[in-house]
Amino acid sequence: MAVGRFYLSCLALGTLGSLCILLTIYWMQHWHSGFAWDSSSRMFNWHPVLMVAGMVVVYGAASLVYRLPQAWVGPKLPWKMLHAVLHLMAFVLVVLGLVAVFKFHNHQHISNLYSLHSWLGILTVFLFACQLFFSLKNTTKPYSSLPAEAVLANSTGLLVVVFVLLVLYILASSWKRPEPGVLTDRQLLPRPFPVAYMPVAEDAC
């Protein structure tokens, strides 16, 4: 049962991660004129997509590599390499996301690193949901009257939060590679039914 719950959680993570990326792409494509690499506002649109893909989805996957039961046995080197590759992928995506926003700012003569969002980049996942309210400017209207863009953006932000919480839940669980020479209860073979122990009186013989 525990193994089934683990893989079910991984399946949920993969689905949520894919939805986060796809909804962010749809948001930028449908309401913000799509993507380009020409220092225009369309170049800025790469920033949220790449940051969500890198800092949230790929980085989350990298942190869970050693929780896979397949990583508990056999040589550790292949799993270390996979862990490193995923981290490198996340780093490259994040760097490209930063390049996109810096080139856009420089082209538009906007100051860099002037906001809390930029200072605390490690908290981008949580600030991602908050900054949607600043760009949409619909805080004075009831939620039922918000435009479709606002509903999509808020829903994407909630999915990101759920994804992060699920990653933290799996990381906090007991699923991890045991130390060399140490077997966990899940890895021990079933023991035969113990034979009843019959005490013998000391003066029996």
Side-chain angles (χ1 to χ4, degrees):
M1 287 296 292
V3 175
R5 288 197 303 270
F6 175 81
Y7 283 113
L8 185 61
S9 299
C10 289
L11 179 62
L13 273 178
T15 303
L16 283 173
S18 300
L19 279 175
C20 289
I21 296 174
L22 291 175
L23 287 177
T24 308
I25 292 174
Y26 179 77
W27 176 22
M28 294 296 108
Q29 180 69 44
H30 188 73
W31 280 287
H32 294 277
S33 304
F35 304 91
W37 200 262
D38 56 2
S39 301
S40 67
S41 60
R42 293 193 301 161
M43 183 173 182
F44 176 83
N45 292 343
W46 282 109
H47 178 69
V49 174
L50 292 172
M51 300 306 279
V52 168
M55 293 195 71
V56 180
V57 179
V58 179
Y59 187 79
S63 65
L64 296 176
V65 166
Y66 295 120
R67 302 298 170 132
L68 293 172
Q70 293 88 342
W72 296 0
V73 294
K76 192 176 181 179
L77 181 59
W79 300 101
K80 294 180 70 173
M81 293 180 62
L82 177 60
H83 183 72
V85 168
L86 289 174
H87 272 293
L88 181 61
M89 288 178 57
F91 178 75
V92 170
L93 291 173
V94 168
V95 168
L96 290 175
L98 291 176
V99 169
V101 71
F102 272 79
K103 286 182 68 70
F104 167 73
H105 281 183
N106 293 336
H107 186 262
Q108 299 294 327
H109 305 290
I110 300 174
S111 300
N112 292 305
L113 300 176
Y114 64 92
S115 65
L116 181 63
H117 175 89
S118 59
W119 299 336
L120 304 177
I122 198 63
L123 298 179
T124 300
V125 172
F126 301 99
L127 296 176
F128 176 78
C130 299
Q131 73 179 357
L132 307 174
F133 297 102
F134 294 105
S135 62
L136 295 172
K137 299 179 181 178
N138 285 295
T139 57
T140 59
K141 297 181 180 180
Y143 189 81
S144 59
S145 66
L146 291 181
E149 180 187 1
V151 176
L152 177 72
N154 291 344
S155 301
T156 304
L158 288 176
L159 286 177
V160 169
V161 173
V162 172
F163 180 90
V164 172
L165 291 177
L166 190 53
V167 169
L168 293 176
Y169 167 76
I170 295 178
L171 288 176
S173 68
S174 59
W175 289 96
K176 60 183 179 180
R177 183 184 177 98
E179 295 297 326
V182 178
L183 293 178
T184 65
D185 293 338
R186 296 188 182 95
Q187 294 172 307
L188 292 175
L189 294 176
R191 297 178 179 179
F193 190 81
V195 179
Y197 173 70
M198 297 295 294
V200 179
E202 294 181 357
D203 56 349
C205 55

